[in-house]
């Protein structure tokens, strides 16, 4: 009779709530404590990194996701802490179409994360540090864009990606072992018409090794190439030629070379962990000519990365993860005003505490030196220290 | 004992997930291939019809709907590909209150689709063509408005409406056999205060015949009347009198007659199908006076329609539907800048392929000639061709 | 065997739909009938209180909430009738962390309602009147802000709060018997950087007595103190000193004292009910100097309250609740332009009818006299009458 029941169960059509699930997380922050320099800002990371802003929601995420057919996975995520007034804005909307029954090859389409950088792919829900690193995160605005790609991994490797999250090791999730995609290459959630623009193309290969000891080491390499159209440029800022001379052309709505390559290494914390990424590339960057009080945007080298050590302490069902992260970046940020010019050094001493799986507290003491210059603030180097607190709920 | 179980089941209060369900769909598009004229645009249909914009989400829909009480049905739908930056915006929020136990008579209130045109009522999830037709869709912005109505159908006709969707025949869904409603008559999702404005009123009668052969033929007639308040008018554009003379009055915030009548015929594809709609009416329309380089808005005749033939091929669980659609419109579009003046001819050769029920691929080759003129572009006729691709996921 | 089943049930991990639920409500309104003065507006209450706007959605709420862990409750609510064009905007996003197993002490963090006023805490889903009262609701924009607090109640009192809602008595819900919190003190859904700004602090004590007769009487007292930063000020409006003299300082981005205290009494309707609240305090308020045609913002006294009587008629499963509400306010509204100066008198005669639990109809005849003045309308007193209709669906 039990057998009959089972047969019945598998034969009946699935209910909607068995196909998709609602989940998400929220991050409540306060960045004001022991802040020595409110003028030191980090717009890419957190709009309340600078200033004295009190409490703020960094993310309020809602996801609808599920295997809606044996061959089709769907993922939708919106953020209700977006657009400056907590409006609901799209983050992800994509499908994975399985080309084979086991799902080794999957075609992905929609708005989703660009395969460039382990930390970019890792969910903020799992990341230890409060913000992503400047050097790799400046490659793609909000880590996401609209496009189509294909990713591949053998069944056992897909299982390993899944295990690395399930075991609480803070993996990136499953973006395949090999992933290539074409995408608009501007900012997600926007339309930037340009007749000459060709899509960006990105590629990534990553391999999570499992040792007999049970330790995991993941090595990854990735890169992308394309041309970026400038959409946010101050009046009077011109195109700078490759020889450094300033052209007559306004820098607005111009195409600039945009390409990067990066390497990633992650030794998962059992209990000691280590993680580092580095990228080099070329892209648009602002430069100020103090003599003529004029600004220009041209192609420059960019490079930078981070290294992080962490330690995982499990006590009954609680988790405590102290970590130290050091970061460096020198280059432009194409999607900011005037392709803002940056030099960033930051050191973070942090600790994450999970009293229960659904709740996390993070405290980070940040010591930073940030130079970020555009035509509005052509000479702007800030250094300071601050204590940052985050309460996170996972639902 | 089974009987006892049944009694128990019906007596226990329903769980929330038995009363409402979450569903939706997403449409990923690329309209750039083989585009001969990027200046030919179609703002009502798709903002990436013109230009070279890469990949875009046309719709990312989330619905919460269900029979929350034997007498009360509720429907909420938001679109997360809205407002130019993928913000979540309301599409539908309405209830159907059943006046009788069987639900023959239902009062509807809230923001919902206006009963004008079969294709307007049919969900984009089911439509073959990527965009709705210009002639009937220009009647109501986004097909929806805020109001109150009542619709009626005998039980067997309501079942037939439901069958036409379930059987994959791409029906409109159940808006009753007879439907009348009053509504604001401006754009949904907006408040337009005007002391003199009276609500619009719409009426529709449709009848889906079922022949002994199993074929379905649906005939419908519908109309609406009201006055439209202009809200988007260029400086200097004046009111044009009925005799063609230009008044001194600025055309902004003026009331214009707005009325249409339409006929619909749908022969559902088993396997051959045919569908046509036509409407005539009067409404505000821009006119340019080249001699004086001045513009005006006045009441003009409008008319136009479309015809579509389609063929349904079922292969195992797959579906393939080739179709041809021809469309013509001559008239104004009241909710666009200056009640833009249009003449549109468009021919579409398309094919929809559903490898599985949850996934659709559509390819359309579009040949069009579009004249659309306002004070900013007073002489603007564009013709061109383009290939359009859409991937759709139904969850 | 049944015992075994129970053990099994409690041991298995809960499904997602057992941990959270989706719910919400929508309010469709028409405020145009028998309106004698469309110039009499109430921006805090309803943007279609004035003008002739036809049908409008006042609220379209979607909630995701649940006890996601025995120690953790989560609540997320968005409104899809927000930001002027029905965009989805955050209302609540908070957690309650239970400090003890029974949940007597709970720490709350996120955006949630500020514990100031019974009617402010009571959901609009349950309130009889269509809008909250001006005097207490002017304390906190949209009743909500970002912060952290702690609330306490014995188990039996928490149960009583819950009963007051379950029994259809229109209680406030459970914000504890004692509640204190610190919060930004500006408007929710916004970031207002100000180096000198310290958080607001609020406190509330309320006690719902249950008599042997089964009647409930709830008495509450609450207050808050802080400094408000002006963010919406007309050009040329200056700071007014405490002695009434006008300073040279522009009133924009200035800190103003902001503190109130309030008392609440609720005698729950079984069948006769009575409810009253009153608050006094100090806060920024606009003043116009007609002689110099100039405006200023300074600290002024504010006070006001409301009293309401209601009667609950239960007929089979239907409910009918007639009510009368009288309201008075004299003071500023800090979060409106120029900290607008108000004197409001309003009388409402209303009736709520619930034919079924999921559906409510409210009709209110409103008689009001409203003075509201800022630099744009420095002399503005309006009086009038209107009939207001609301249809509400609870899902």
């Amino acid at each position: 009779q039990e057998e009959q029941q089972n047969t019945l169960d598998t034969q009946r059509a699935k209910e909607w709530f068995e196909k998709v699930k609602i989940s998400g997380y929220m991050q409540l922050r306060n960045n004001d404590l022991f802040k020595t320099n409110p003028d030191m800002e980090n717009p890419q990371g957190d709009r309340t990194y600078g200033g004295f802003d009190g409490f703020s929601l960094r993310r309020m995420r809602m996801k609808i996701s599920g295997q809606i057919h044996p061959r089709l996975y769907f993922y939708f995520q919106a953020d209700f802490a977006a657009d400056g007034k907590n409006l609901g804005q799209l983050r992800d909307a994509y499908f994975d179409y399985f080309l084979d029954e086991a799902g080794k090859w999957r075609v992905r389409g929609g708005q989703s994360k660009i395969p460039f950088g382990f930390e970019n792919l890792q969910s903020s829900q799992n990341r230890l540090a409060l913000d992503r690193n400047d050097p790799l995160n400046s490659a793609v605005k909000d880590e996401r864009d609209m496009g189509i790609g294909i990713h591949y991994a053998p069944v056992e490797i897909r299982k390993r990606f899944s295990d690395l999250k399930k075991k609480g090791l803070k993996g990136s999730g499953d973006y395949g072992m090999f992933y290539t995609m074409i995408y608009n290459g501007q900012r997600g959630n926007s339309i930037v018409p340009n007749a000459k623009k060709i899509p960006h193309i990105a590629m990534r290969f990553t391999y999570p090794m499992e040792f007999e000891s049970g330790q995991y080491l993941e090595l990854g390499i990735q890169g992308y190439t394309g041309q970026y159209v400038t959409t946010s440029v101050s009046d009077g800022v011109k195109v700078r030629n490759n020889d450094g001379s300033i052209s007559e052309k306004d820098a607005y709505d111009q195409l600039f070379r945009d390409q990067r390559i990066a390497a990633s290494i992650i030794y998962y914390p059992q209990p000691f962990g280590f993680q580092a990424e580095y990228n080099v590339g070329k892209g648009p960057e602002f430069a100020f000519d103090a003599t003529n009080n004029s600004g220009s945007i041209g192609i420059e080298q960019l490079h930078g990365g981070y290294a992080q050590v962490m330690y995982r302490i499990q006590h009954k069902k609680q988790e405590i993860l102290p970590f130290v992260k050091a970061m460096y970046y020198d280059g432009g940020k194409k999607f900011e005003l005037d392709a803002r010019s940056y030099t960033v050094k930051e050191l973070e001493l942090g600790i994450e505490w999970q009293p229960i799986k659904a709740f996390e507290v993070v405290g980070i003491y940040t010591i930073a030196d940030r130079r970020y210059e555009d035509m509005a603030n052509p000479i702007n180097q800030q250094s300071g220290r601050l204590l940052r607190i985050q309460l996170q709920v996972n639902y």
Side-chain angles (χ1 to χ4, degrees), chain A:
Chain A
Q1 203 204 347
E2 200 176 76
E3 228 166 274
Q4 270 184 12
Q5 189 60 40
N6 283 345
T7 319
L8 223 77
D9 276 7
T10 42
Q11 276 175 354
R12 74 171 171 83
K14 280 195 173 177
E15 299 287 344
W16 74 266
F17 46 83
E18 296 170 307
K19 284 197 275 189
V20 297
K21 69 168 182 179
I22 315 287
S23 58
Y25 61 99
M26 92 171 218
Q27 296 180 332
L28 174 66
R29 294 194 180 172
N30 189 306
N31 292 322
D32 290 357
L33 298 172
F34 306 107
K35 189 176 277 183
T36 62
N37 180 5
D39 294 330
M40 181 176 72
E41 296 171 307
N42 178 12
Q44 176 189 303
D46 188 342
R47 62 187 169 143
T48 69
Y49 183 101
F52 287 99
D53 308 284
F55 300 98
S56 62
L57 278 188
R58 178 60 181 87
R59 291 179 180 88
M60 174 57 235
R61 295 289 171 86
M62 182 190 76
K63 297 178 225 177
I64 303 175
S65 61
Q67 195 76 33
I68 54 181
H69 180 276
R71 289 292 179 105
L72 192 64
Y73 177 81
F74 176 69
Y75 189 98
F76 162 67
Q77 185 178 222
D79 188 9
F80 282 83
D83 205 42
K85 33 188 183 172
N86 293 342
L87 296 174
Q89 190 178 42
L90 191 71
R91 285 295 167 268
D92 301 277
Y94 67 83
F95 63 85
D96 269 346
Y97 198 99
F98 293 18
L99 296 185
D100 55 288
E101 213 172 300
K104 283 183 283 190
W105 289 93
R106 303 181 186 180
V107 170
R108 174 169 298 184
Q111 182 160 297
S112 70
K113 288 194 172 177
I114 301 307
F116 184 79
F118 172 87
E119 202 187 62
N120 284 343
L121 294 177
Q122 183 194 39
S123 170
S124 294
Q125 196 174 9
N126 295 321
R127 193 180 55 250
L128 280 171
L130 292 194
D131 302 327
R132 288 194 174 80
N133 68 92
D134 291 54
L136 278 87
N137 196 229
S138 53
V140 187
K141 174 75 177 139
D142 291 332
E143 308 86 59
R144 292 165 176 90
D145 208 333
M146 205 75 77
I148 287 214
I150 184 164
H151 56 102
Y152 165 81
V155 174
E156 68 271 22
I157 299 298
R158 293 220 183 261
K159 192 181 167 306
R160 205 170 289 166
F161 285 125
S162 163
D163 285 349
L164 286 167
K165 278 187 87 170
K166 270 194 216 151
K167 290 182 177 174
L169 295 173
K170 299 185 174 292
S172 64
D174 179 357
Y175 292 82
M177 202 173 78
F178 172 75
Y179 192 170
T180 184
M181 80 181 295
I182 56 169
Y183 60 102
N184 290 344
Q186 297 293 131
R187 324 156 144 254
N189 294 330
S190 69
I191 293 291
V192 180
N194 190 297
K196 290 187 220 139
K197 175 86 169 75
I198 47 164
H200 274 54
I201 183 161
M203 271 193 198
R204 180 176 187 248
F205 180 84
T206 191
Y207 192 78
M209 289 171 265
E210 183 176 6
F211 298 115
E212 272 184 40
S213 61
Q215 296 285 358
Y216 295 95
L217 177 69
E218 184 171 343
L219 297 175
I221 186 162
Q222 51 253 305
Y224 72 82
T225 185
Q227 286 177 301
Y228 186 80
V229 181
T230 39
T231 56
S232 171
V233 178
S234 302
D235 279 352
V237 171
K238 302 290 180 189
V239 169
R240 188 169 67 255
N241 298 320
N242 287 344
D243 61 6
S245 62
I246 311 297
S247 77
E248 290 298 299
K249 265 192 291 193
D250 279 332
Y252 178 78
D253 197 25
Q254 297 296 326
L255 280 174
F256 289 92
R257 184 138 67 110
D258 176 26
Q259 48 193 211
R260 298 190 183 202
I261 192 164
S264 310
I265 177 168
I266 303 97
Y267 184 74
Y268 287 94
Q270 306 187 91
F272 171 82
F274 171 75
Q275 178 179 335
E277 298 192 90
Y278 203 84
N279 78 163
V280 295
K282 279 175 186 291
E285 184 173 359
F286 176 80
F288 181 62
D289 177 353
T291 321
N292 301 306
N293 193 34
S294 67
S296 62
I297 301 177
I299 301 294
E300 299 291 336
Q301 287 279 357
L302 59 87
H303 65 110
Y306 71 93
Q308 175 181 296
V309 293
M310 57 275 202
Y311 196 86
R312 184 185 190 193
I313 303 160
Q314 288 173 288
H315 176 69
K316 289 176 187 170
K317 286 180 172 181
Q318 301 193 18
E319 304 238 354
I320 298 172
L321 291 109
F323 65 96
V324 178
K325 187 182 185 183
M327 192 243 290
Y328 174 78
Y329 181 56
D330 182 16
K333 291 195 183 180
K334 60 191 173 194
F335 46 72
E336 297 190 1
L337 176 66
D338 299 335
R340 212 169 264 151
S341 174
Y342 273 81
T343 309
V344 179
K345 294 172 219 158
E346 191 172 72
L347 178 69
E348 294 180 300
L349 312 166
I351 188 160
E352 177 181 304
W353 173 46
Q354 297 180 28
I356 57 174
K357 242 184 149 35
F359 192 76
E360 298 176 17
V361 182
V362 178
I364 295 186
Y365 192 67
T366 300
I367 304 159
D369 188 303
R370 295 180 163 268
R371 182 190 63 81
Y372 46 111
E373 298 172 348
D374 51 37
M375 199 60 210
N377 285 295
I379 293 169
N380 186 31
Q381 177 160 5
Q382 304 287 346
S383 66
R385 294 180 300 284
L386 67 156
L387 180 63
R388 309 180 66 188
I389 308 282
Q390 175 180 282
L391 305 179
Q392 179 176 309
V393 176
N394 308 312
Y395 72 91

